[in-house]
Amino acid sequence: MDAIINLANNSIEFFKTVVEFAPKFIPGVILTLELAFFSIILGMVIGLVVAVLKLTKYKWLKKIMDVYITVVRGTPLLLQLYFIFYGLPSMGIMIDSFPSAVIALALHNGAYISEIFRGSIESIDYGQREAARSLGMTKWQAMKRVVLPQAFKRSVPALGNQFIIAVKDSSLASVITITETMLLARQFGAATFNVFPIYFTAGVYYLIITMGLTKLLSKVEQKLKVNER
Amino acid sequence: MSMIEIKNLHKYFGELEVLRGIDLTVDESEVVCLIGSSGSGKSTLLRCINFLEEKNEGEIYIDGELVTSKDINAIRQKVGMVFQRFNLFPHMTVIQNVMEGPVTVKKMDKKKARGLAMDLLEKVNLLDKADEYPAMLSGGQQQRVAIARSLAMEPKVILFDEPTSALDPELVGEVLGVMNDLAKEGRTMIIVTHEMGFAKEVADRVIFISEGQIAEEGPPEEIFDHPKNERLQSFLGQILV
């Protein structure tokens, strides 16, 4: 009997804490959204540029892009964040914490997104390019008008995956003093010693963001699928 | 007047010499059919004409101009190409496929391009499919759209690379019908084909290619009824059972 009363009391305490702290997370959640948004948008731009540059005939450009992808994929994001925020100042390059985080996250996402784009560009039947070129299009016109629109459609499922990873990875920005959701959770937890409900709340916020994103992307996917094989 | 003049064309794929010195002249309004067994080099010859394959040696003149790889985009506007596998753009509707060349390459006004595309779709009997996507069309319909797409650039020559080989037998006729119409209009056409009946009916000249060389050429009656070359005889024997 005592155990049941105890459990009930604990549950009430738990949800009280959740309700109390949920609004306090809002500024952090907004920062998480901003980090994710900018790093995804910039990452897409970087990814597209890198993917296209890798397909040009200039070998040295391809080499540079390969080095970029290898370095980014082969080192931890945590290290990349430290490197930009704590490392670069020793070379006289000072960047504020928020732009540092966006740069690191965007470069990180960009490397993965470029591989997604490259894969889908290469998956487009070569006959498409030949048909475009045989109409007199330049290489770039054929890329822009014929290959990229089709490749982009094929990228959407994999991109969705990467976007969700980007949202979760943004939590690492907490290590360079950005008070996004994760850092707030740690601060609230340290202040109240009531760790469980606070991390629970943070987790729910992340879930809301990633589930919303998944829903949005499957809508985009549906829309793009209409009329096609 | 000669529309296409090819002199001593050689093409290698690595060590393999696929075209071994082709000399060919095609006159304006002439319909030439290229026949030969697979691997003989006939498709490669066609693809060299609009530089989808880069030749290793030889000269190609189109409409009196020597073609170099520098002005291929300009040349390709003069030389239309129809592929075995249609290669329509799946993300565009039928009419957008036909408008794409004029709008993107020639910077034609969209309204004007739409009018032109409508006319061409009417010509290939597909006006009612203008707003469908290629995936909704049969192979024969797709190939007719592909023909309209290449006509939209108002090419001086149209190259057909086995245009009916990927079609179900019952759909071959509609495509050959359109090509027959084009031939009657006086279009210059070079056709790689396995449809001997069609070649016999439409071609002004039939060219038999064997092992990367022109083994025999002449009017269809002569090629099909009185072949002189031994390999041509055995080739015809194999397909005209």
Side-chain angles (χ1 to χ4, degrees):
Chain A
M1 196 61 195
D2 275 1
I4 295 174
I5 292 173
N6 215 354
L7 184 67
N9 275 338
N10 279 346
S11 301
I12 291 168
E13 260 327 288
F14 178 87
F15 282 109
K16 260 189 176 163
T17 317
V18 169
V19 172
E20 185 197 340
F21 276 91
K24 295 187 179 168
F25 268 107
I26 298 289
V29 172
I30 289 173
L31 263 176
T32 294
L33 285 172
E34 285 177 355
L35 283 170
F37 177 80
F38 287 118
S39 63
I40 285 171
I41 297 293
L42 276 174
M44 290 269 280
V45 174
I46 294 171
L48 184 62
V49 171
V50 171
V52 171
L53 288 182
K54 264 192 87 164
L55 294 168
T56 56
K57 58 185 171 188
Y58 302 108
K59 288 252 163 62
W60 58 274
L61 262 177
K62 193 174 144 13
K63 264 260 144 55
I64 294 174
M65 298 305 136
D66 281 341
V67 169
Y68 158 64
I69 290 168
T70 307
V71 169
V72 168
R73 289 205 304 190
T75 58
L77 174 56
L78 191 56
L79 181 140
Q80 294 162 15
L81 280 157
Y82 278 141
F83 181 80
I84 290 179
F85 187 63
Y86 295 116
L88 288 185
S90 69
M91 296 180 65
I93 304 169
M94 302 276 256
I95 308 174
D96 279 348
S97 62
F98 187 79
S100 287
V102 168
I103 291 170
L105 291 169
L107 284 174
H108 190 81
N109 287 321
Y112 285 94
I113 291 173
S114 79
E115 288 294 278
I116 294 172
F117 279 146
R118 187 179 60 91
S120 49
I121 287 172
E122 282 176 352
S123 79
I124 303 297
D125 179 20
Y126 200 73
Q128 289 289 309
R129 239 163 289 189
E130 289 194 335
R133 300 300 307 275
S134 78
L135 288 173
M137 286 192 206
T138 62
K139 267 185 192 164
W140 172 237
Q141 284 172 329
M143 189 53 110
K144 196 176 70 175
R145 299 284 310 165
V146 175
V147 178
L148 287 182
Q150 295 182 60
F152 184 73
K153 259 180 221 187
R154 281 189 201 178
S155 308
V156 171
L159 282 177
N161 236 343
Q162 185 60 38
F163 292 171
I164 284 166
I165 293 172
V167 169
K168 295 187 293 180
D169 276 356
S170 73
S171 64
L172 284 171
S174 60
V175 302
I176 58 168
T177 75
I178 293 177
T179 40
E180 45 66 75
T181 312
M182 199 58 218
L183 185 54
L184 275 186
R186 242 180 296 165
Q187 288 173 352
F188 295 154
T192 62
F193 297 111
N194 205 351
V195 172
F196 183 41
I198 283 171
Y199 282 140
F200 176 85
T201 311
V204 169
Y205 273 117
Y206 277 110
L207 265 178
I208 292 172
I209 297 173
T210 50
M211 282 165 65
L213 197 56
T214 307
K215 201 152 206 174
L216 185 77
L217 281 156
S218 73
K219 275 217 173 102
V220 171
E221 215 173 314
Q222 284 307 316
K223 202 153 202 173
L224 290 174
K225 242 189 209 147
V226 180
N227 301 318
E228 276 201 44
R229 299 175 264 196
Chain B
M1 197 202 121
S2 68
M3 182 58 78
I4 291 186
E5 203 178 344
I6 297 168
K7 286 181 184 167
N8 192 31
L9 185 71
H10 289 263
K11 169 72 190 173
Y12 298 84
F13 287 132
E15 296 279 289
L16 184 71
E17 188 171 14
V18 195
L19 296 178
R20 305 189 298 159
I22 300 268
D23 291 285
L24 172 66
T25 305
V26 178
D27 288 332
E28 197 171 341
S29 297
E30 195 179 15
V31 177
V32 173
C33 283
L34 302 178
I35 61 171
S37 46
S38 50
S40 60
K42 53 197 192 315
S43 282
T44 308
L45 169 59
L46 206 65
R47 292 164 60 82
C48 280
I49 295 176
N50 73 347
F51 283 69
L52 285 179
E53 301 289 352
E54 198 142 353
K55 63 184 164 56
N56 295 98
E57 217 180 289
E59 287 167 353
I60 298 176
Y61 296 83
I62 293 177
D63 204 13
E65 280 175 75
L66 176 68
V67 186
T68 63
S69 50
K70 284 215 172 94
D71 44 31
I72 36 176
N73 293 329
I75 282 305
R76 284 180 178 141
Q77 295 180 42
K78 290 190 188 177
V79 182
M81 178 108 178
V82 174
F83 299 87
Q84 183 177 353
R85 308 210 60 90
F86 333 130
N87 295 345
L88 291 180
F89 306 133
H91 58 303
M92 301 179 189
T93 61
V94 163
I95 191 150
Q96 286 168 342
N97 263 278
V98 181
M99 291 165 62
E100 185 58 26
V103 170
T104 300
V105 178
K106 287 187 174 171
K107 310 287 174 214
M108 187 187 280
D109 171 71
K110 276 207 174 139
K111 235 183 212 158
K112 207 175 147 199
R114 180 167 281 273
L116 170 72
M118 288 288 205
D119 290 345
L120 290 169
L121 287 176
E122 190 166 11
K123 191 182 187 125
V124 298
N125 264 320
L126 284 172
L127 203 48
D128 54 326
K129 303 283 183 196
D131 295 316
E132 304 264 19
Y133 281 85
M136 314 297 281
L137 270 53
S138 74
Q141 291 170 332
Q142 290 194 43
Q143 193 60 300
R144 284 186 281 150
V145 175
I147 292 173
R149 177 177 67 178
S150 98
L151 288 175
M153 292 303 287
E154 290 166 340
K156 304 218 163 195
V157 190
I158 310 176
L159 311 175
F160 294 85
D161 189 4
E162 302 195 26
T164 58
S165 296
L167 296 177
D168 291 337
E170 75 271 20
L171 302 175
V172 169
E174 61 190 69
V175 172
L176 294 182
V178 167
M179 290 167 63
N180 205 344
D181 293 344
L182 296 178
K184 280 187 192 139
E185 277 175 22
R187 302 239 175 212
T188 313
M189 297 156 71
I190 304 180
I191 307 164
V192 171
T193 186
H194 293 292
E195 300 287 336
M196 297 304 150
F198 173 78
K200 209 166 180 174
E201 189 188 328
V202 175
D204 297 308
R205 183 158 44 120
V206 176
I207 294 176
F208 173 64
I209 296 192
S210 178
E211 293 174 6
Q213 283 175 318
I214 295 181
E216 187 167 342
E217 61 178 306
E221 312 82 65
E222 226 167 87
I223 294 286
F224 292 117
D225 300 336
H226 310 287
K228 292 181 206 74
N229 182 290
E230 236 171 71
R231 276 174 297 190
L232 174 56
Q233 287 166 356
S234 82
F235 172 72
L236 291 174
Q238 276 163 15
I239 52 173
L240 301 175
V241 186

